Amino acid sequence: MKPVLDETHDRSAKSWVDSANLASADFPIQNLPFGVFRLQGNEARVGVAIGDRILDVAGMLSAGLLANECVRGAAEACASGSLNRLMALGAGPRKALRRRLHALLLKDAPALNRHVTAQHLVAQQDVEMLLPAAVGDYTDFYASIFHATNVGKLFRPENPLLPNYMYLPVGYHGRASSLVASGSPVRRPSGQIHEGTVAPCFAPTRALDYELELGFFVSAGNSLGEPVPIKEAEEHIFGVCLLNDWSARDVQSWEYQPLGPFLGKNFATTLSPWVVTMEALAPFRTAALVRAVDDPAPLPYLLSDRDQAHGGLDLWLETSITSMQMRQSGIPPVVLGRSNTRDLYWTMAQMLAHHTSNGCNLRPGDLLATGTVSGADKSALGCLLELTWRGKEPVSLPTGELRRFLGDGDEVTLRGFCEREGFRRIGLGICQGLVGR
Ligand code: CA
């Protein structure tokens, strides 16, 4: 079965919110991502982005425009400081709410409806965006075979790709408490470093890095002891956001064996505020990566025809950077890498199915992430570790400054978007963090 397309994907649809109709808009009427916003002095609420505005969904309940039972339940769940309640409802109410909001925001919606809806719009520039969900658990995967091979070459040149890689989506349990919203400062962590000295020292990291990733949120969960079959896995995914898994490489390389990432990773992970739903992504689904002829086929519990045919996602990701000196000189950001999630070795459904395959329960608002998304080319690398080959080939900024790893005052911005012939481009917004002490 192909991803379902409906009137909400019509490329010719325009909104009476003019800013949504700009060609460069990340949030046209075909997108309608969910996020959590707070107007100064008010409670946090769930909103939907349209152009440069936010629709206060729960605020519209009293206006009587969301009366249908399914839509009403979803809208009531938006009277909350997180998306967890809406996520818990599963795909049906979310889809119904999307279709209703699309109809209300359409250029040719009835004048009275437009008038009432307009009263519940706020400007994005006037609000604070918070984390989209209260994340109970966060798991980070390692789904890019290009990233895994590059990192493997750096740390184990004789044996870059470990034997499990082609059989299972490798992951580790990350830390939910240090997830932060885009715009939050990132403090350079200290840790044990054991490089070129007899004994390790404790010092600020000298190898701070970003990781360009796609995060995806769990909607309805599963009960402990009941795995989610691969065929049903996508029904448990709410949508996607940008994720920067900040990493201290020197701390990581000393501590990671034998139990995997720990303090080199859990000092900060930045999320973009808008969650683009699986419905909005439907036009951009693609086949799963075709494996090389010598690669083993996925085991049956990770294999479904539908996932192989449509489980990939054609979504571009991009990292850019400015140093403090660049900003002071008015120099625009430099793009460091541009990659695409269609090149991932494992699909989101495979990651979720594998995660629950032992009966592990996922809960609404849990966060999974792809791991660093890199492609085959030098222009498609998702972290400085790969881009500078662990500092051996520094990147030169327009000011002449060199970067082996991130410097204090560097600001890293992730972007993501989908575009395909015959459909309206949609974007994920930005995920930004400024490095300091
Ligand atoms: Ca990562």
Side-chain angles (χ1 to χ4, degrees):
M1 195 171 69
K2 280 188 169 181
V4 177
L5 298 180
D6 58 31
E7 78 282 1
T8 65
H9 303 103
D10 176 5
R11 74 175 294 188
S12 64
K14 297 233 177 337
S15 174
W16 49 264
V17 179
D18 290 334
S19 58
N21 303 325
L22 298 171
S24 59
D26 274 352
F27 309 128
I29 194 168
Q30 291 83 355
N31 193 347
L32 304 180
F34 289 90
V36 175
F37 71 99
R38 181 162 58 205
L39 262 173
Q40 203 176 12
N42 290 55
E43 300 264 297
R45 315 260 278 190
V46 170
V48 165
I50 177 77
D52 62 2
R53 309 275 130 171
I54 299 171
L55 183 61
D56 175 3
V57 181
M60 291 181 61
L61 275 168
S62 58
L65 293 175
L66 304 174
N68 170 287
E69 196 180 326
C70 202
V71 173
R72 185 173 182 84
E76 283 171 351
C78 293
S80 168
S82 79
L83 280 168
N84 296 62
R85 278 175 62 198
L86 180 63
M87 288 168 165
L89 296 177
R94 180 181 79 233
K95 289 177 190 172
L97 179 59
R98 169 182 168 84
R99 293 180 84 163
R100 181 60 182 149
L101 296 180
H102 181 271
L104 290 170
L105 290 164
L106 266 181
K107 197 156 210 157
D108 55 3
L112 181 61
N113 289 357
R114 290 204 310 259
H115 176 71
V116 173
T117 305
Q119 293 172 357
H120 298 282
L121 288 177
V122 294
Q124 285 176 28
Q125 64 180 19
D126 292 342
V127 307
E128 178 191 4
M129 292 304 298
L130 308 177
L131 281 178
V135 179
D137 280 295
Y138 156 49
T139 301
D140 198 16
F141 286 91
Y142 199 46
S144 164
I145 195 168
F146 300 104
H147 173 68
T149 304
N150 285 334
V151 173
K153 277 181 192 162
L154 284 166
F155 288 92
R156 296 177 304 276
E158 72 295 342
N159 188 20
L161 210 57
L162 293 172
N164 60 5
Y165 192 84
M166 292 174 183
Y167 286 97
L168 58 85
V170 170
Y172 71 97
H173 284 121
R175 180 94 191 154
S177 67
S178 50
L179 295 168
V180 296
S182 177
S184 304
V186 174
R187 192 181 283 188
R188 178 179 298 274
S190 291
Q192 276 203 27
I193 299 168
H194 189 197
E195 286 180 344
T197 49
V198 177
C201 65
F202 184 82
T205 177
R206 294 182 285 260
L208 185 60
D209 202 354
Y210 60 85
E211 288 191 340
L212 174 63
E213 304 197 14
L214 191 71
F216 52 107
F217 281 98
V218 174
S219 56
N222 62 302
S223 301
L224 183 63
E226 292 182 15
V228 176
I230 180 83
K231 286 181 179 156
E232 296 168 21
E234 285 215 1
E235 288 293 307
H236 292 263
I237 303 175
F238 182 92
V240 305
C241 69
L242 300 162
L243 185 147
N244 186 340
D245 178 24
W246 304 93
S247 301
R249 300 301 184 191
D250 40 11
V251 177
Q252 183 186 354
S253 65
W254 169 231
E255 73 172 4
Y256 88 103
Q257 299 198 70
L259 288 186
F262 185 36
L263 301 181
K265 294 276 191 179
N266 67 9
F267 56 93
T269 305
T270 306
L271 299 184
S272 59
W274 294 109
V275 185
V276 174
T277 62
M278 297 307 280
E279 290 71 59
L281 296 171
F284 311 103
R285 304 311 299 274
T286 186
L289 186 77
V290 177
R291 293 184 165 211
V293 284
D294 294 338
D295 292 2
L299 294 177
Y301 80 100
L302 293 174
L303 190 59
S304 91
D305 291 344
R306 183 186 175 186
D307 188 52
Q308 289 299 302
H310 307 291
L313 177 61
D314 186 356
L315 184 150
W316 287 98
L317 292 169
E318 181 185 285
T319 312
S320 59
I321 189 172
T322 57
S323 66
M324 190 185 296
Q325 202 180 325
M326 285 171 69
R327 293 192 300 282
Q328 284 168 348
S329 309
I331 298 172
V334 173
V335 173
L336 293 177
R338 195 176 280 135
S339 54
N340 193 305
T341 54
R342 69 185 173 212
D343 293 329
L344 293 176
Y345 199 75
W346 298 100
T347 65
M348 291 187 283
Q350 286 173 321
M351 289 182 246
L352 191 141
H354 180 66
H355 202 315
T356 66
S357 62
N358 65 346
C360 175
N361 52 327
L362 298 176
R363 296 171 295 185
D366 279 0
L367 176 67
L368 280 60
T370 56
T372 307
V373 182
S374 291
D377 302 334
K378 177 112 185 169
S379 65
L381 301 176
C383 62
L384 284 173
L385 178 70
E386 292 171 82
L387 192 56
T388 69
W389 211 245
R390 206 179 180 179
K392 286 201 184 83
E393 300 166 25
V395 173
S396 181
L397 301 179
T399 46
E401 300 168 279
L402 294 181
R403 285 292 179 271
R404 292 177 167 81
F405 290 101
L406 295 171
D408 291 341
D410 285 356
E411 185 169 60
V412 177
T413 303
L414 311 184
R415 284 190 169 73
F417 62 90
C418 296
E419 57 185 10
R420 179 172 277 185
E421 187 72 30
F423 293 96
R424 179 67 160 85
R425 173 195 180 279
I426 62 170
L428 272 64
I430 65 169
C431 175
Q432 201 163 56
L434 178 62
V435 174
R437 295 261 172 176

